[in-house]
């Protein structure tokens, strides 16, 4: 038995790997399992140097990557009921919120900012999977709408970066209502001829994918991202069908016309600039 390979290394990986990059000096790539020096990984925009796997990034890092010089004016999350259903499973929902807030430094799973992207004024909202799986509750819904309202006030495009497991079960019907409310907000952007761009990260699933995640005027995805409503095992069991290889991957959705483009993280600012340039040119012609 190779003690280093079978015992020591798994323990090191378990201790040092964190979903959001964390404070560990090293972490393991979830795809190839190679150890990555955190500082170098951050400089590479959280992309594995060995296999090019795009690691999940937090909302703060996402906004810093996209805005010019990483600077933006934060759009505050509106106040919402703290625990509308007084929900409790193995832990109280209120306690889960406290833990997630302490872990991420965020109020909830969405962070929005207003600033400049390649000299274009934009509002960007980013979801954070480290906050309760990026789940969408009332705070995320209100934050999304606040971002849309800012875009409407300024008259600029709205970009949302998704990474979510779907609706937040601890808020029940309240969370499901956010699917409708965010869809209505997107419609307001269209009524004012303002672009709505989605940047889909891994994973984007459930109620987020089934609402604003699929409503972008232009939809960009990161490579190999899982994009789905229901899990593949659930679909296969329900339909009694063998699903195609790569089903629900970004590459499969691109091949079947569900998204417009797959863009590596290092090229996303340029890709978004090209889209915004086209929008600006069309406005000038009009």
């Amino acid at each position: 038995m190779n003690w280093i390979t079978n015992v020591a290394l798994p323990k090191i990986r378990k201790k040092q790997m964190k979903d959001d990059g964390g404070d560990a000096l090293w972490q393991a790539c979830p795809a190839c399992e190679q150890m990555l020096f955190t500082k170098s990984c951050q400089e590479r925009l959280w992309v594995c140097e060995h296999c090019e796997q795009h690691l999940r990034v937090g909302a703060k890092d996402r906004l810093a990557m996209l805005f010019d010089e990483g600077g933006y004016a934060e759009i505050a999350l509106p106040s919402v009921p703290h625990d509308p259903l007084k929900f409790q499973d193995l832990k109280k929902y209120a306690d889960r919120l406290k833990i997630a807030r302490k872990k991420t430094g965020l109020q909830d799973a969405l962070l929005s900012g207003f600033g400049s992207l390649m000299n274009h004024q934009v509002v960007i909202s980013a979801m954070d999977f480290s906050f309760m799986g990026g789940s969408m509750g009332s705070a995320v819904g209100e934050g999304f709408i606040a971002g849309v309202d800012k875009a409407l006030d300024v008259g600029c495009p709205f970009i949302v970066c998704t990474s979510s497991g779907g609706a937040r079960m601890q808020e029940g019907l309240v969370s499901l209502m956010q699917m409708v409310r965010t869809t209505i907000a997107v419609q307001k952007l269209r009524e004012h001829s303002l672009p709505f761009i989605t940047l889909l990260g891994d994973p984007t699933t459930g109620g987020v994918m089934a609402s604003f995640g699929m409503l972008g005027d232009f939809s960009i995805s990161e490579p190999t991202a899982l994009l789905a409503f229901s899990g593949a095992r659930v679909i296969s069991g329900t339909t009694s069908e063998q699903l195609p290889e790569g089903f629900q991957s970004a590459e499969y959705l691109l091949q079947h016309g569900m998204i417009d483009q797959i863009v590596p993280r290092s090229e996303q600012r340029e890709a978004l600039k090209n889209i915004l340039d086209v929008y600006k040119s069309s406005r000038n012609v009009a």
Side-chain angles (χ1 to χ4, degrees):
M1 177 180 181
N2 188 326
W3 180 84
I4 293 178
T5 301
N6 297 330
V7 179
L9 191 56
K11 289 183 177 180
I12 292 172
R13 287 171 174 166
K14 183 177 180 180
K15 182 176 180 180
Q16 293 182 329
M17 183 177 175
K18 297 186 178 182
D19 287 342
D20 59 352
D23 298 320
L25 291 176
W26 295 84
Q27 60 183 297
C29 172
C32 69
E33 298 187 348
Q34 291 289 330
M35 296 303 293
L36 306 172
F37 185 45
T38 298
K39 185 175 181 181
S40 297
C41 194
Q42 185 175 19
E43 291 171 352
R44 287 177 52 85
L45 305 180
W46 303 107
V47 176
C48 177
E49 61 186 282
H50 303 286
C51 68
E52 298 299 317
Q53 173 72 18
H54 284 52
L55 282 66
R56 294 170 185 166
V57 296
K60 292 179 182 178
D61 283 338
R62 179 72 74 178
L63 294 188
M65 290 175 189
L66 294 177
F67 282 112
D68 293 341
E69 300 178 354
Y72 57 91
E74 185 175 335
I75 301 171
L77 280 177
S79 178
V80 298
H82 182 66
D83 184 4
L85 303 181
K86 305 300 180 185
F87 189 92
Q88 181 173 350
D89 43 42
L90 297 178
K91 293 181 182 178
K92 293 181 179 179
Y93 176 42
D95 291 339
R96 291 190 183 278
L97 286 173
K98 290 177 183 178
I99 293 170
R101 286 167 180 163
K102 183 177 180 180
K103 175 184 176 182
T104 63
L106 299 173
Q107 279 299 108
D108 215 282
L110 185 90
L111 181 65
S112 300
F114 168 68
S116 174
L117 192 164
M118 304 286 272
N119 298 317
H120 290 277
Q121 281 193 328
V122 292
V123 172
I124 305 177
S125 291
M127 304 187 77
D128 196 313
F129 195 81
S130 296
F131 196 109
M132 297 186 68
S135 52
M136 179 171 64
S138 56
V140 169
E142 290 290 348
F144 183 94
I145 293 169
V148 169
D149 287 343
K150 179 65 176 180
L152 291 170
D153 290 341
V154 178
C156 70
F158 180 61
I159 302 170
V160 64
C161 308
T162 62
S163 182
S164 174
R168 186 171 297 172
M169 70 172 192
Q170 290 88 349
E171 295 189 18
L173 185 59
V174 175
S175 68
L176 296 179
M177 288 172 58
Q178 309 313 313
M179 296 174 63
V180 178
R181 301 182 70 239
T182 53
T183 299
I184 292 172
V186 171
Q187 183 59 33
K188 289 182 179 179
L189 289 170
R190 291 185 175 151
E191 290 171 358
H192 289 79
S193 300
L194 294 175
F196 173 54
I197 303 169
T198 55
L199 175 52
L200 307 172
D202 178 70
T204 299
T205 61
V208 170
M209 187 68 171
S211 56
F212 62 85
M214 279 279 95
L215 293 179
D217 299 310
F218 199 95
S219 295
I220 296 174
S221 175
E222 295 192 323
T224 71
L226 171 66
L227 309 176
F229 176 60
S230 297
R233 185 167 56 184
V234 174
I235 296 173
S236 182
T238 302
T239 62
S240 299
E241 295 286 343
Q242 183 68 34
L243 300 177
E245 184 178 353
F247 183 69
Q248 298 181 328
S249 68
E251 289 72 17
Y252 186 91
L253 267 64
L254 177 65
Q255 182 181 355
H256 290 79
M258 296 295 291
I259 59 176
D260 298 301
Q261 196 174 7
I262 295 175
V263 182
R265 202 166 281 164
S266 60
E267 301 173 15
Q268 287 171 5
R269 272 172 48 86
E270 187 65 31
L272 290 169
K273 174 186 178 297
N274 292 337
I275 298 169
L276 297 172
D277 283 344
V278 171
Y279 162 70
K280 188 174 182 180
S281 298
S282 66
R283 297 273 287 192
N284 290 337
V285 170

